[in-house]
Amino acid sequence: MQIVSVINQKGGVGKTTSVANIGAAIAKLKKKVLIVDLDPQAHLSISFDRMPEPEDPSLYSLLIGKHSFVDIIQPTNIKNLFIAPTNLDLTGVETELANEIGREGILSLALHNLSKTNSPPDIVILDCPPSLGTLSLNALVASNSVIVPLQAEFFALQGMAQLLEIIERVKQRLNPKLILGGILIGMFSKQRNLSQEVLKELNEHFGNLVFPTQVRVNVKLAEAPSHGQTIFEYAPESIAAKQFIEIAKELCDRLKINISEEVSSESH
């Protein structure tokens, strides 16, 4: 079971969009996928219309020890794609876990227990909050690799040094298997000189870590979440759907997950 964190402490860079659509794309490639909403804003859960009511099983109740993943996982409308949703209760978890011994390893233990069940997912993708607190630390401790989404804009590299330093520190102290798995460029426009300049700069800094497929500016991609859908349901023939399939194939190749080249058209 591969575990991937999608993380950037800068907000509005397309983390949730990336998690939802990469998860859906890998499910379309016939692998079992679990996406996990670690963001107290609960945008991933809302976009799938799966946000639990207060007191219902959720990622919050898992982190405070009331439930396991088996209790909180819900199916989505896409075959092979499941979600561990959250709600606004997650806002208080940083304070509640402040004095908890080993708090940074709670998610890792829960995912380890999930991996021992009868039918674990092939891949777990964690949608991290736009901060580097207890929730993001739990994600990094639990993960095999990290995907950093960036927008093709002037401040794309701002904050990267801090994030890379934290990843390295987690690797040294808490999770020696953690690697930087890739950098995903979104809001890309071939017509804009700035997009091309940012891509060039990122390729010079990070080389092969940069995904060869960029996510282009796309109206349908922006509209899909408001309909409770991924791009594969909302606009399956769009360029964005094709791009996310290519990104999913590249990610699976990097993680050594064997996939079917045939894309499934099934949904629940």
Side-chain angles (χ1 to χ4, degrees), residues 20-226:
N21 290 291
I22 291 173
I26 297 175
K28 292 279 183 188
L29 296 167
K30 302 181 180 175
K31 290 295 175 184
K32 186 175 181 181
V33 183
L34 173 64
I35 52 176
V36 178
D37 194 350
L38 271 172
D39 190 338
Q41 296 174 94
H43 288 170
L44 187 67
S45 305
I46 292 166
S47 69
F48 281 90
D49 194 24
R50 293 293 186 273
M51 188 167 79
E53 294 295 323
E55 307 301 321
D56 282 353
S58 68
L59 200 76
Y60 167 75
S61 64
L62 178 142
L63 290 171
I64 63 169
K66 283 187 177 178
H67 293 109
S68 69
F69 270 109
V70 172
D71 302 318
I72 72 170
I73 290 173
Q74 298 185 33
T76 69
N77 292 330
I78 293 177
K79 185 179 180 182
N80 299 322
L81 181 64
F82 299 83
I83 185 170
T86 197
N87 54 30
L88 302 182
D89 289 344
L90 195 61
T91 308
V93 83
E94 303 256 350
T95 305
E96 290 188 48
L97 296 180
N99 298 316
E100 190 75 27
I101 295 171
R103 62 188 178 276
E104 69 278 351
I106 294 171
L107 182 64
S108 180
L109 178 59
L111 285 166
H112 174 75
N113 292 337
L114 177 64
S115 74
K116 301 300 181 189
T117 55
N118 286 336
S119 180
D122 296 294
I123 183 169
V124 179
I125 307 176
L126 309 174
D127 185 20
C128 298
S131 63
L132 295 172
T134 300
L135 291 167
S136 291
L137 185 58
N138 260 269
L140 293 174
V141 170
S143 294
N144 307 104
S145 60
V146 179
I147 302 297
V148 180
L150 293 176
Q151 286 190 351
E153 60 176 31
F154 181 69
F155 293 112
L157 289 172
Q158 188 183 41
M160 273 294 285
Q162 182 193 9
L163 179 57
L164 294 175
E165 186 181 322
I166 286 171
I167 291 169
E168 187 57 34
R169 213 176 297 164
V170 170
K171 181 174 182 174
Q172 288 176 358
R173 299 179 185 176
L174 296 166
N175 181 8
K177 68 179 184 291
L178 185 65
I179 61 165
L180 178 58
I183 294 169
L184 178 61
I185 303 174
M187 299 295 287
F188 186 81
S189 171
K190 281 188 171 181
Q191 285 71 45
R192 292 176 66 208
N193 288 337
L194 180 59
S195 285
Q196 299 287 359
E197 288 167 16
V198 169
L199 177 60
K200 183 174 178 234
E201 189 173 357
L202 286 167
N203 280 325
E204 286 173 0
H205 273 83
F206 298 103
N208 292 335
L209 282 172
V210 180
F211 280 89
T213 302
Q214 297 86 42
V215 181
R216 294 186 209 163
V217 175
N218 188 291
V219 173
K220 293 198 180 301
L221 189 61
E223 290 173 348
S226 66

